Amino acid sequence: MSIAAAQKKGFGAFLWDYLTTVDHKKIAHLYLIGGGFFFILGGLEAMFIRIQLIAPENDFISAGLYNEMFTMHGTTMIFLAAMPLLLGLMNAVMPLQIGARDVAFPFLNSLGFWLFMFGGILLNCSWFLGGAPDSGWTAYTPLSVESPTHGIDFYVLGLQISGAGTLIGGINFLVTIVTMRAPGMTYMRMPLFSWTTFVTSTLILFAFPALTVGLFLLMFDRMFGSAFFNVALGGNSVIWQHLFWIFGHPEVYILILPAFGVFSEVIPTFSKKRLFGYTAMVFATILIAFLGFMVWAHHMFTVGLGPVANAIFAIATMAIAVPTGIKIFNWLATMWGGSITINSAMLWALGFIPSFTIGGMTGVMLASAVADYQYHDSYFVVAHFHYVIVGGVVFGIFAGLHYWWPKMFGRILNEKLGKIGFWLFFIGFHLTFFIQHFLGLMGMPRRYWVFLEDQGLDTGNFISTIGTFLMAIAATIFLINIIYTAVKGEKPAGDPYDGRTLEWAIPSPPPYYNFKQLPLVRGLDPLWIEKMDGKGKMTPAEPLGDVHMPNGSILPFAMSLGFFVAGFGFIYQTDHQAWNLAIFVGMGIALGSMLIRSLKDDHGYHISKEELEREAD
Amino acid sequence: MTDNTNTNSFQKQKNKEEMKKQLITFALMIGFTIVAFSIVATNAMDKMFAVPLLLILALIQVGFQFYYFMHMKDRGHEFPAMMIYGGVFAALLTIAALVAIVWW
């Protein structure tokens, strides 16, 4: 973004600014808008599922459409809602927390977002083009190979494109944290949200290739006549399950670790205490990531891997409860004896602790391979993973949004609406999912379109659906809150919560170059140290000088658009050869954009020292 | 890392040693490649023996590549080393599991 572009008025210029931006703060806005859109979409799909199950033998939607609903609900929520919302928070906050002016590769940051967005749109185009994917978000073979519509093709190409975007984002964050920490910001002085961003990015780097490989194999089986998963031709359909879960289990830690990071920022700030057991928290995070790669087969206990494999994976899975428990106790100990402020962000953090602990407890139950034969593919599993993903990740996202909203948008979200929203969501969430544990134990299988009357499932399902409505109302209140805040919200000072970390040392929203002078970090919670020393602001680590900034570029958008077009080509070339044209055109756009990027030198621009001096502090 | 404008004798000495190491590694790698090719071409060994031997030769070459040509032995490369070994760990785990549970 150049200064001239920022000063242009009008909607066109505004739109162009966002399409070409490489500023991490604006890309964060884009991620939040994109992720928020898909969150609403996934929420609507959840509503349809629950309305279908409100009464026995209901026929609100047809069986086929129901399959598409739960498939797209899972896929959308995991890949297109939760992850982008977290990436949005990371983008907005992590560079500020480590005292950097931007991420290491601003261009790639933008490319990562647009790939995600176009992948998500491609996936959702399937609704209008003959049917969405319908074999579950796990797309188990051979079901997914046999699925007759183009739905699974959209799943494969959509996830491939958005997955590439996520991978790019992960690598970008890794390099940023390794190379761009402010002077004095050692690893063990990094705020915990930056730490979890770092560990999460490592997980993305190592886990996503397994998904990429799996998706390519599935793509070749469906489109080009290979037989990786076809048992009749010597393939093996269990390989898909392995590849998917080698990715899929780290994926759930990719979701939860950033949420842990958010709580580790929110709880100390509103308890007015430094995080209890910081070092233990860091190592617990790393340990969870490490163990996360050795537990994937606990999703496959009933496949028939044999008692030895099942036992190994069961024990490894139970071991994860240890670092997670360390974290829970550290948060409790942080609050112990603190001067606690209860506002919306803190409420979400407080609601998270019991909710997530219930999810963790059922997790240990599921980890027992023997007992799992009873729970497998029942609503007990559904209840478990919604307790950890909604009670952990979604609560974390809401806490983070409330906490950093003033930092990102320069307005404080309305507290009253925030608290009403929290309580409605909290009650609705437990109403929806707690009863599902018992539905599962009574034998209700997941992914079933209807259930029969008088089997003891009627009341439970009815209660569950009512809870969903409360969550929907709460989400609507949050949207109203956003609009209300944008119109009438109070404008905060730079540091409305008496914060501890570097992001609160600069104005809200931050200037586009973040730090006029890079700050000197003297310890953990650097801003708090300066406050306690009576100084109240950071000591600069460098004299005021020119700041080097990257230029904006439309190329990431063009590249992603190219892959999007080529995606359609790949999907439909099985129907008619003419669709190969779309592949050539799409890849032409994408590769052409890459060529331009490679050949055209773009050294960015400098903000001169005089210009920085003119800006008020 | 190397300051080109200020090459003192110490630096020169170091560069010389570095060059020597590079050349030795290069020669060794060529040697290993020739050995590997000739094992296969001449059918000199039993398959049971040749395959593990080729794998070991390949592993050594990968080590040379990383540590000498890509300078992982030098200071300031701890981080890339950690990430590479992390990736190797994740990949080996995948392969080991697929071999042990799916194909065995």
Side-chain angles (χ1 to χ4, degrees):
Chain A
M1 187 199 71
S2 74
I3 301 169
Q7 286 166 342
K8 256 190 249 164
K9 295 278 186 284
F11 182 71
F14 175 76
L15 191 69
W16 181 254
D17 184 25
Y18 268 91
L19 288 178
T20 59
T21 188
V22 293
D23 178 358
H24 72 98
K25 297 177 288 299
K26 287 189 175 166
I27 291 171
H29 295 174
L30 292 173
Y31 265 118
L32 293 181
I33 293 165
F37 169 73
F38 287 119
F39 186 77
I40 294 169
L41 217 57
L44 287 175
E45 285 150 10
M47 296 294 288
F48 287 127
I49 294 171
R50 279 319 316 173
I51 292 171
Q52 165 63 22
L53 293 174
I54 193 169
E57 294 188 78
N58 200 1
D59 60 353
F60 176 66
I61 49 177
S62 71
L65 189 58
Y66 182 79
N67 288 350
E68 293 172 20
M69 279 300 165
F70 71 67
T71 301
M72 285 300 281
H73 167 68
T75 313
T76 304
M77 282 303 196
I78 298 277
F79 292 100
L80 308 178
M83 230 172 14
L85 287 171
L86 291 169
L87 285 172
L89 286 178
M90 292 174 187
N91 252 314
V93 177
M94 184 274 288
L96 302 179
Q97 278 196 332
I98 63 170
R101 292 213 170 90
D102 205 325
V103 291
F105 307 116
F107 181 89
L108 285 187
N109 204 8
S110 159
L111 180 61
F113 167 75
W114 288 111
L115 282 173
F116 141 69
M117 197 62 202
F118 276 108
I121 293 171
L122 179 67
L123 182 55
N124 277 283
C125 281
S126 61
W127 286 113
F128 310 103
L129 297 169
D134 56 358
S135 51
W137 84 281
T138 51
Y140 273 11
T141 57
L143 187 62
S144 54
V145 180
E146 297 302 324
S147 174
T149 64
H150 275 301
I152 298 294
D153 301 332
F154 278 101
Y155 173 94
V156 170
L157 267 304
L159 289 192
Q160 198 71 277
I161 292 171
S162 75
T166 310
L167 205 44
I168 287 171
I171 293 169
N172 202 352
F173 288 147
L174 275 179
V175 180
T176 307
I177 292 178
V178 173
T179 59
M180 292 178 67
R181 282 165 293 125
M185 175 70 78
T186 59
Y187 281 107
M188 291 314 279
R189 285 177 182 176
M190 269 196 328
L192 217 80
F193 183 71
S194 296
W195 254 114
T196 53
T197 301
F198 182 64
V199 175
T200 303
S201 305
T202 318
L203 285 177
I204 290 176
L205 178 64
F206 293 154
F208 264 75
L211 178 72
T212 308
V213 170
L215 288 173
F216 269 127
L217 297 185
L218 186 57
M219 177 179 172
F220 274 71
D221 264 23
R222 282 187 63 90
M223 295 173 191
F224 304 119
S226 65
F228 294 108
F229 305 123
N230 189 337
V231 180
L233 292 173
N236 187 331
S237 54
V238 181
I239 295 171
W240 167 266
Q241 294 190 25
H242 279 290
L243 285 174
F244 187 85
W245 288 118
I246 286 168
F247 148 76
H249 202 81
E251 165 71 15
V252 301
Y253 295 123
I254 293 170
L255 295 177
I256 197 64
L257 288 180
F260 284 174
V262 173
F263 297 125
S264 305
E265 299 297 321
V266 170
I267 291 175
T269 304
F270 295 119
S271 304
K272 287 269 175 296
K273 274 176 73 188
R274 74 170 260 181
L275 185 67
F276 187 89
Y278 170 83
T279 320
M281 289 297 249
V282 170
F283 283 102
T285 309
I286 296 170
L287 195 59
I288 291 175
F290 179 72
L291 289 173
F293 276 98
M294 289 180 273
V295 297
W296 78 88
H298 68 217
H299 298 270
M300 303 165 60
F301 279 151
T302 59
V303 163
L305 305 176
V308 176
N310 275 5
I312 292 170
F313 282 104
I315 289 165
T317 305
M318 290 176 192
I320 290 190
V322 177
T324 318
I326 291 173
K327 280 179 166 286
I328 297 276
F329 283 112
N330 278 337
W331 286 314
L332 293 176
T334 306
M335 285 186 279
W336 191 282
S339 146
I340 298 177
T341 314
I342 294 189
N343 58 10
S344 317
M346 191 60 176
L347 268 181
W348 286 105
L350 291 174
F352 149 83
I353 291 177
S355 310
F356 188 82
T357 307
I358 296 173
M361 188 197 68
T362 52
V364 178
M365 289 169 73
L366 284 160
S368 163
V370 186
D372 185 71
Y373 276 83
Q374 176 69 22
Y375 310 135
H376 190 82
D377 264 352
S378 76
Y379 259 77
F380 190 82
V381 177
V382 176
H384 159 71
F385 66 69
H386 282 92
Y387 259 86
V388 285
I389 294 182
V390 181
V393 183
V394 176
F395 280 31
I397 289 168
F398 275 119
L401 287 176
H402 276 282
Y403 181 55
W404 282 308
W405 202 267
K407 187 48 56 192
M408 292 186 287
F409 298 99
R411 306 265 181 158
I412 297 181
L413 281 174
N414 186 285
E415 275 299 317
K416 196 177 257 174
L417 286 175
K419 283 180 180 167
I420 296 171
F422 165 77
W423 283 113
L424 278 177
F425 196 95
F426 186 73
I427 295 166
F429 159 70
H430 284 283
L431 215 52
T432 306
F433 296 111
F434 195 73
I435 196 86
Q436 290 186 1
H437 290 114
F438 301 99
L439 289 174
L441 293 178
M442 283 187 274
M444 183 170 164
R446 72 193 277 204
R447 292 172 174 168
Y448 267 29
W449 170 51
V450 288
F451 58 94
L452 294 176
E453 219 170 335
D454 288 331
Q455 293 185 325
L457 305 175
D458 310 18
T459 322
N461 273 301
F462 182 73
I463 293 172
S464 186
T465 304
I466 298 303
T468 321
F469 290 127
L470 291 185
M471 282 196 279
I473 295 168
T476 316
I477 290 177
F478 188 75
L479 287 180
I480 293 170
N481 198 349
I482 291 174
I483 296 165
Y484 178 84
T485 306
V487 180
K488 286 195 160 171
E490 56 175 302
K491 290 184 182 166
D495 180 17
Y497 300 130
D498 199 8
R500 314 173 70 84
T501 40
L502 273 182
E503 77 266 33
W504 302 110
I506 49 174
S508 304
Y512 58 96
Y513 47 81
N514 292 356
F515 296 91
K516 204 177 270 186
Q517 293 159 286
L518 292 182
L520 179 70
V521 177
R522 299 199 292 139
L524 180 63
D525 292 343
L527 184 58
W528 192 254
I529 291 179
E530 303 297 342
K531 282 177 180 172
M532 288 300 101
D533 285 359
K535 188 152 185 275
K537 57 179 189 177
M538 300 306 298
T539 314
E542 57 175 13
L544 192 62
D546 291 1
V547 174
H548 184 207
M549 297 292 287
N551 280 325
S553 169
I554 192 70
L555 288 176
F557 182 86
M559 280 180 207
S560 310
L561 183 71
F563 286 122
F564 177 73
V565 173
F568 275 103
F570 278 112
I571 290 166
Y572 285 107
Q573 48 82 27
T574 49
D575 295 349
H576 196 284
Q577 284 219 318
W579 281 96
N580 283 325
L581 194 66
I583 300 180
F584 290 124
V585 171
M587 292 309 272
I589 297 172
L591 294 174
S593 308
M594 288 181 195
L595 195 70
I596 295 172
R597 172 69 185 168
S598 307
L599 296 181
K600 211 182 108 210
D601 277 338
D602 180 358
H603 297 299
Y605 66 100
H606 284 86
I607 314 170
S608 68
K609 192 174 155 187
E610 292 70 36
E611 232 172 309
L612 285 173
E613 273 167 349
R614 269 202 303 277
E615 306 233 351
D617 255 317
Chain B
M1 243 178 267
T2 336
D3 197 0
N4 285 331
T5 51
N6 181 22
T7 19
N8 48 33
S9 60
F10 174 69
Q11 192 65 43
K12 246 182 200 164
Q13 183 66 28
K14 262 179 94 178
N15 287 349
K16 209 174 155 188
E17 272 172 34
E18 180 66 31
M19 195 60 188
K20 206 166 83 187
K21 279 182 196 160
Q22 294 264 341
L23 284 175
I24 293 171
T25 340
F26 183 69
L28 276 172
M29 283 176 83
I30 297 284
F32 281 158
T33 311
I34 293 170
V35 171
F37 270 93
S38 47
I39 287 174
V40 179
T42 57
N43 274 328
M45 278 177 204
D46 196 40
K47 214 176 176 182
M48 271 299 284
F49 190 66
V51 170
L53 189 64
L54 289 179
L55 283 175
I56 290 169
L57 288 178
L59 254 166
I60 296 170
Q61 294 218 23
V62 169
F64 279 151
Q65 176 75 28
F66 277 150
Y67 278 90
Y68 284 90
F69 292 148
M70 291 166 79
H71 295 282
M72 230 162 79
K73 67 174 171 33
D74 298 343
R75 272 162 55 101
H77 289 70
E78 295 82 11
F79 219 90
M82 198 185 87
M83 296 305 284
I84 288 171
Y85 284 117
V88 168
F89 165 73
L92 279 184
L93 209 61
T94 307
I95 294 167
L98 287 180
V99 169
I101 354 191
V102 181
W103 292 312
W104 202 291

